[in-house]
Structures are given as structure tokens and as C-alpha cells.
Amino acid sequence: MPSTNIKITATDKTQRAFQSAQRSVGGLKKSIVGLKGAVGLIFGAVAIGKLTSFSSELMNTADSIDKMSARLQVSSETLQGLNFNAQLAGSSVDGMQKNIQKFVYAIGKAREGSKEQADAFQRLGVDLKKQNGEWKEHTKIFKEVADAYGDSNDATEILTSAMILFGRGGRDMVNMMMMGSEGIERFNTLLKKSGGIMGGEFLDATVNYNDSMTLWGKIMGSNTSKILTPFIEKILEVSDAMFEMKGVNPLELA
């Protein structure tokens, strides 16, 4: 074979090898780009999922705070501040809200003349009535109880009192309330200044949204059941026909 052909053949092989290498490199680059895109989508999906989960959790918390505020006659701002204080003291928000409910219940029992609760408030020097004879607000009584705990040096008396006024969760309340009302208010102020208080408009909107979604869920469920009924009946007809063909009576199997 002439040397020219050898050179041409060698050149062709080299070009084909180079082109193949380019295609491989190009494919690798595309794979990497595709991988980056896939990773980006995955992280994006995770971020969206976390944001959605956080938003849902936030809205549920807002809905709970708003409804509990109305039920316990304690402002939503006060509840949020107490939740924050409870978390700093190592307690949970859920536990805090249950303890406040029990505290309001204890106030109600004391008003009705229940000796155990009435005596607990009396030993702390906390009067449930104002000077004009009207009942004090729940928040006012809570602050006075906190001050009484903060001024006391009798740990046994404080814990006993807390268990009566807050139920079994009283032991978790002691850590927070030993700071007194000023200590609690200091953290409340920090929460307010840092913008950590959810506003009333958001709370109201959240309640309306959740209520609307609950109603919408009922409507969708009802209409879906109506749509599915004919299909279910047809499936049952086919099932009965199959049993009949096999000579099986499902009612006799029991």
C-alpha cells in the first residue's frame, strides 16, 4: 500500500478517534449539565416542600392561637409571648397552651367557690377581683401569680401551687414563672421588637382560610361520593357475577 494511503488512513482513524472523543466529552458535559439540572430540581423540590410544610404549620399555629385566644379570653399577642417564653424555658408550645387552659379552668373553679383552687390563689395573695368588685382579666391574674412565684423562696409551696393551678404541667411552668411578670414581659418585648408576633389580620385570614378549606373538603367529598357511587355499584355487579359463575355465595363463607 502506498505510503500516501497509509497516511490518509492514519489521519482518518485519528480524526474519527478525535471526533469520537469529542462526542464522548460532549456527552459527558451534557450528562453533567443534566445532573446539575436534576440536582437543582431535587433541591428546588425539597425547598418548595419545606416551604409548603412550614407554611402549613404556620397557618395551623395561627389558627390555633386565634381560636384559643377567643376561647380563653387572652389576647393572641399574649399567647404568642407565653409560647415564646415556654420554649425558652424548655417547654413545648402545645404543653404551654394546655397549661394555660388548665389555669383558666382553675380560675373558673375558684370563682365558683371550689376550695382547693380558691385557697391556692389566696395563699399566693392573689385576689381574683378588682377593687370595684369586677373579675380581673385572666392575663392580669397570670402576671400576679408569676410575681408571687418570683417573690417566694419556698420551692415546695411554689410547686404545690403550680400543680393545682396548672395541673400536671405545673412543674414545667415553674421555670418560666419564677422570673416574675417583669422577666416574662422582657422576652415578650424582645419578640415584639424583632417582629416575631403574628398580626391580627394574618390570624383572622388564616382562620377564614382553614374554615373555608374545611367546608370545601366536605363539598368535594360529598360530590366525589356521588360520582363514584355508580362505578362502585358496577364493580359490585361484576363481582357478584364472578362469584355466581364460580358457584360461590360470599354470604355463606362466614
Side-chain angles (χ1 to χ4, degrees), residues 27-46:
L28 180 60
K29 286 182 178 179
K30 288 181 180 179
S31 298
I32 293 174
V33 172
L35 180 60
K36 287 182 178 178
V39 171
L41 287 174
I42 291 172
F43 277 108
V46 170

Side-chain angles (χ1 to χ4, degrees), residues 88-131:
L88 293 177
S91 184
S92 66
V93 170
D94 182 60
M96 173 66 194
Q97 294 182 351
K98 289 179 181 178
N99 293 338
I100 291 297
Q101 290 184 70
K102 292 173 183 175
F103 181 72
V104 172
Y105 174 78
I107 293 175
K109 294 295 290 183
R111 286 181 178 182
E112 293 172 358
S114 175
K115 181 173 175 58
E116 184 180 36
Q117 284 81 7
D119 286 351
F121 284 115
Q122 187 175 12
R123 283 194 295 271
L124 294 174
V126 175
D127 195 339
L128 301 182
K129 287 186 176 182
K130 302 176 183 178
Q131 291 183 349

Side-chain angles (χ1 to χ4, degrees), residues 9-28:
T9 302
T11 301
D12 289 343
K13 287 183 178 179
T14 302
Q15 287 179 339
R16 285 197 298 271
F18 181 71
Q19 290 171 354
S20 176
Q22 278 188 317
R23 286 195 297 271
S24 298
V25 172
L28 180 60

Side-chain angles (χ1 to χ4, degrees), residues 48-66 83 87 92-94 97 198 202-203 206 209-210:
I48 291 172
K50 287 187 177 294
L51 178 60
T52 301
S53 176
F54 175 76
S55 298
S56 177
E57 183 179 345
L58 180 64
M59 294 181 72
N60 288 335
T61 300
D63 183 65
S64 173
I65 288 174
D66 189 85
N83 287 341
Q87 288 177 299
S92 66
V93 170
D94 182 60
Q97 294 182 351
M198 289 184 284
F202 175 74
L203 297 177
T206 299
Y209 171 82
N210 284 344

Side-chain angles (χ1 to χ4, degrees), residues 172-226:
D172 297 325
M173 298 295 294
V174 170
N175 290 338
M176 180 183 79
M177 299 185 72
M178 288 286 287
M179 300 183 297
S181 62
E182 288 188 5
I184 294 173
E185 188 57 35
R186 184 164 59 250
F187 288 117
N188 289 351
T189 301
L190 173 63
L191 188 64
K192 294 175 189 175
K193 288 185 176 180
S194 62
I197 296 288
M198 289 184 284
E201 291 184 1
F202 175 74
L203 297 177
D204 292 341
T206 299
V207 171
N208 292 334
Y209 171 82
N210 284 344
D211 291 346
S212 296
M213 288 300 99
T214 300
L215 176 59
W216 182 246
K218 297 293 183 183
I219 294 172
M220 288 296 293
S222 175
N223 284 280
T224 301
S225 66
K226 293 176 183 177

